[in-house]
Amino acid sequence: MKIGELAKLTGCSVQSIRHYEKEKLLASLRRSDGNFRLYDSAKVDQLKFIKHCRSLDLSLAEIRQLIELNQQPGMGCEDVNRMIDSHIEQVALRINELQDLQDKLMALRNSCASQSTVKECGILQTLSVTQK
Amino acid sequence: MKIGELAKLTGCSVQSIRHYEKEKLLASLRRSDGNFRLYDSAKVDQLKFIKHCRSLDLSLAEIRQLIELNQQPGMGCEDVNRMIDSHIEQVALRINELQDLQDKLMALRNSCASQSTVKECGILQTLSVTQK
DNA sequence: CTTGACTCTATAGTTACCATAGAGTTTAGG
DNA sequence: CCTAAACTCTATGGTAACTATAGAGTCAAG
Ligand SMILES: [Zn+2]
Ligand SMILES: [Zn+2]
Ligand SMILES: [Zn+2]
Ligand SMILES: [Zn+2]
């Protein structure tokens, strides 16, 4: 199958697939006479794997690592676990950061009485005050 | 004062300051004979304003908009309020996304019994299964 | 045999910077 | 006075994971 069909079957864009190839995540089997990429059904599964990983926000570098690990079935999977644990930690950190940000934004928002002028806007005044 | 001193007083990097200038957020008053940027103390406050906004994750485009608004003291401040409201909404959305992601990552992590091999790793198996 | 749909490569853009190169400027010490 | 260190200048490339073009070539149907 050609790249367009692979894209349709997986819900990826054609450009993404070419991008994954450039990043060594998904090679096409071979090229047609006219230099079109050709794929088989195994590639559909591989691309779905990549897509699944991306939906969990794993980076392309990490996905590449998982693919490489997958090719060494006998090895222990501690690296996999470590990667996921590390991600969980990063996400938790980010959630906390955003929660702090949210609190600050709410406080800022409350400093403006609606229907004010720019000159008297509590938000702009607050933003002008040096933080602790 | 020269750019290095401004950087120290505000905690910004020299490159950031030059970047803000390129983005029309903070102009230097004038240049020295040797073409060095020169600033006065008002610029310290302006840069602190920018930094404060950045700490709230406002984009440079939005900060530019706030600076422009600030120069029209008589206008109503609805645009300011709208911008902050919109930000609060975006952040809330992002927190929800990350929370979903966190749940998925935790479930994924639980699918691996530690001390497993790559071949039997529940995480890799789960990732290989097509999502609903 | 032409037309439209598809594909190819290469390049620029996104965001807010950081890092570097190579050159010029300023300042303090010897 | 001169030199070396510290500072500054512009321009460029890199970051992440793509998206969106441009311009050219390929393929299938009518
Ligand atoms: Zn990661
Ligand atoms: Zn207001
Ligand atoms: Zn915004
Ligand atoms: Zn495992």
Side-chain angles (χ1 to χ4, degrees):
Chain A
M1 84 188 69
K2 287 184 291 185
I3 197 168
E5 194 180 346
L6 179 60
K8 248 176 215 149
L9 286 176
T10 57
C12 288
S13 75
V14 167
Q15 294 103 312
S16 294
I17 297 172
R18 288 198 278 242
H19 183 61
Y20 294 155
E21 177 174 318
K22 195 183 301 175
E23 296 292 326
K24 315 278 182 204
L25 292 182
L26 186 78
S28 73
L29 275 182
R30 54 200 180 80
R31 297 290 184 110
S32 73
D33 289 347
N35 199 33
F36 286 10
R37 290 171 180 84
L38 297 176
Y39 303 90
D40 63 8
S41 65
K43 297 298 174 184
V44 176
D45 291 336
Q46 288 176 37
L47 185 47
K48 282 182 178 170
F49 175 89
I50 293 171
K51 225 196 151 194
H52 194 166
C53 291
R54 286 294 301 138
S55 79
L56 296 170
D57 218 28
L58 295 172
S59 69
L60 299 192
E62 287 165 329
I63 298 171
R64 192 184 306 118
Q65 208 181 323
L66 286 179
I67 291 170
E68 281 162 14
L69 275 170
N70 234 339
Q71 285 158 4
Q72 311 190 329
M75 280 190 58
C77 69
E78 306 84 23
D79 287 356
V80 179
N81 299 0
R82 252 195 300 278
M83 185 185 295
I84 303 302
D85 282 340
S86 148
H87 254 282
I88 290 173
E89 202 178 324
Q90 302 281 320
V91 172
L93 278 176
R94 187 66 186 139
I95 289 175
N96 285 338
E97 283 174 11
L98 287 178
Q99 197 56 64
D100 282 357
L101 183 60
Q102 189 72 309
D103 293 346
K104 285 188 200 162
L105 284 170
M106 305 270 227
L108 181 66
R109 181 62 181 86
N110 285 335
S111 66
C112 174
S114 301
Q115 309 286 359
S116 177
T117 63
V118 163
K119 187 188 165 102
E120 290 159 352
C121 177
I123 292 178
L124 288 171
Q125 286 171 13
T126 304
L127 287 172
S128 297
V129 172
T130 297
Q131 290 181 104
K132 66 164 174 322
Chain B
M1 85 186 69
K2 287 182 290 185
I3 198 168
E5 194 178 346
L6 179 59
K8 248 175 213 152
L9 286 175
T10 57
C12 288
S13 75
V14 167
Q15 293 105 312
S16 294
I17 297 171
R18 288 197 280 241
H19 183 62
Y20 294 154
E21 178 175 319
K22 194 181 303 174
E23 297 291 325
K24 314 278 184 204
L25 292 183
L26 186 78
S28 73
L29 274 182
R30 51 196 181 84
R31 297 289 184 113
S32 72
D33 289 347
N35 199 33
F36 287 10
R37 289 171 179 84
L38 296 176
Y39 303 91
D40 64 8
S41 65
K43 297 298 175 182
V44 177
D45 291 336
Q46 289 176 36
L47 185 47
K48 282 181 178 170
F49 175 87
I50 293 171
K51 227 196 150 193
H52 196 165
C53 291
R54 285 294 301 139
S55 78
L56 297 171
D57 218 30
L58 295 173
S59 69
L60 299 192
E62 287 165 329
I63 298 170
R64 192 184 308 116
Q65 208 181 323
L66 286 179
I67 290 170
E68 281 163 14
L69 275 169
N70 234 340
Q71 285 158 3
Q72 311 190 330
M75 281 191 57
C77 69
E78 306 84 22
D79 287 354
V80 179
N81 298 3
R82 251 195 300 278
M83 185 186 295
I84 303 301
D85 283 340
S86 148
H87 254 283
I88 290 173
E89 201 177 326
Q90 303 280 320
V91 172
L93 278 176
R94 187 68 186 138
I95 288 174
N96 285 338
E97 283 173 11
L98 286 179
Q99 196 57 65
D100 282 356
L101 183 58
Q102 190 71 308
D103 293 346
K104 284 187 199 162
L105 284 170
M106 304 270 228
L108 182 66
R109 181 61 181 87
N110 285 334
S111 66
C112 174
S114 302
Q115 309 287 356
S116 177
T117 63
V118 162
K119 186 188 165 106
E120 290 157 353
C121 178
I123 292 177
L124 289 171
Q125 285 170 13
T126 304
L127 287 172
S128 297
V129 173
T130 298
Q131 287 181 106
K132 63 166 172 324

